[in-house]
Amino acid sequence: MRKIHGKLVCESVEEVLNPEWTAVLAIDLQKGFMLPGGSVDKAGGDISAMVELIPKCVEFLAAARGRGIRIVHVRWVDLPDGASDSPAWLRSKGLMTGTTEFALEGSWDAEFVAGCEPLPGEPVVTKHRSSAFTGTNLEQLLRATGVQAVALIGEQTPGCIEATFRDAAYRDFYNVLIEDRIAARDPELHEASLKVQRARHDVITAEKALSIWDGYRAGRLLPPNP
């Protein structure tokens, strides 16, 4: 770490991903967004990349848990009869996928995909907008448990992932994007979003993140020394 204006700042992604203060945010790993027969699939969205993403996220969550990393699950739900939607948001949702109802609370669509369900003790944050910080208790939850850095996985890269990833930085959390554990319906938008985020924030592979956490467990890496 180094001091800038009298403040200690992490200099490397290894320092950022200190297990003592890192949480994985698993974004919208839900049936309606990722499985055949879900609301996005029925609206004509290409979910092939999400289907391929599922086992990768299952593996990453298990690996992160095994290394003692906190997991926070984020889900998007819609309330019945548009109770959680404004007119402007209904228009935005239609532009995103062609449907104005994604994952109705209590429906099959709103459920987590198999293998990505929260385990006992793992918090679940419910949102009604793209960013997991908008109108939720996510920030309070993270600060209450001493989290200073978040690593993101899930879907959609140019949508909920990017919105939450940017918002984390704006709320003064270190942020790391796990580039091979995210996906989008449009591969061009996926790559465009990644290009923007690489220019502004830390973007690494799952292998790199896990190797960093292994380094801490083995004593090759030590927590930043204030």
Side-chain angles (χ1 to χ4, degrees), residues 11-224:
E11 291 191 272
S12 67
V13 70
E14 286 80 8
E15 290 180 333
V16 166
L17 285 179
N18 175 10
E20 293 182 2
W21 67 34
T22 297
V24 169
L25 301 186
I27 308 295
D28 299 350
L29 297 175
Q30 296 165 259
K31 295 176 179 178
F33 304 131
M34 305 188 76
L35 293 181
S39 54
V40 172
D41 179 46
K42 289 178 180 177
D46 182 357
I47 61 166
S48 57
M50 271 58 68
V51 172
E52 293 176 3
L53 179 66
I54 293 170
K56 296 177 182 178
C57 287
V58 172
E59 171 268 330
F60 186 79
L61 288 172
R65 288 186 185 109
R67 290 158 173 81
I69 307 301
R70 301 173 182 86
I71 309 293
V72 178
H73 302 266
V74 177
R75 67 181 194 128
W76 180 341
V77 300
D78 291 330
L79 297 181
D81 302 318
S84 53
D85 296 323
S86 66
W89 190 236
L90 286 168
R91 173 168 172 75
S92 293
K93 287 165 68 177
L95 292 172
M96 290 177 204
T97 64
T99 180
T100 57
E101 190 172 277
F102 294 155
L104 190 66
E105 180 71 283
S107 70
W108 177 89
D109 282 325
E111 296 174 1
F112 291 102
V113 297
C116 294
E117 308 96 335
L119 296 187
E122 293 179 348
V124 177
V125 173
T126 298
K127 64 186 176 74
H128 304 301
R129 297 293 184 272
S130 294
S131 172
F133 289 96
T134 299
T136 74
N137 65 342
L138 176 58
E139 182 173 1
Q140 181 182 25
L141 186 155
L142 294 176
R143 297 203 188 282
T145 52
V147 171
Q148 298 185 43
V150 292
L152 270 68
I153 67 171
E155 65 88 49
Q156 289 280 305
T157 310
C160 295
I161 292 291
E162 183 173 326
T164 303
F165 189 59
R166 286 176 176 270
D167 220 354
Y170 303 156
R171 293 168 188 261
D172 298 325
F173 293 97
Y174 292 110
N175 59 338
V176 180
L177 191 58
I178 309 301
E179 62 182 328
D180 51 356
R181 296 297 182 269
I182 57 175
R185 293 182 293 275
D186 186 324
E188 290 186 3
L189 291 180
H190 170 80
E191 290 300 330
S193 179
L194 275 174
K195 183 175 182 180
V196 172
Q197 302 319 309
R198 288 190 187 107
R200 294 169 174 260
H201 306 286
D202 285 305
V203 179
I204 65 173
T205 64
E207 182 181 10
K208 176 67 173 177
L210 295 174
S211 71
I212 290 171
W213 294 328
D214 283 340
Y216 277 96
R217 286 204 302 172
R220 297 190 302 272
L221 295 172
L222 299 174

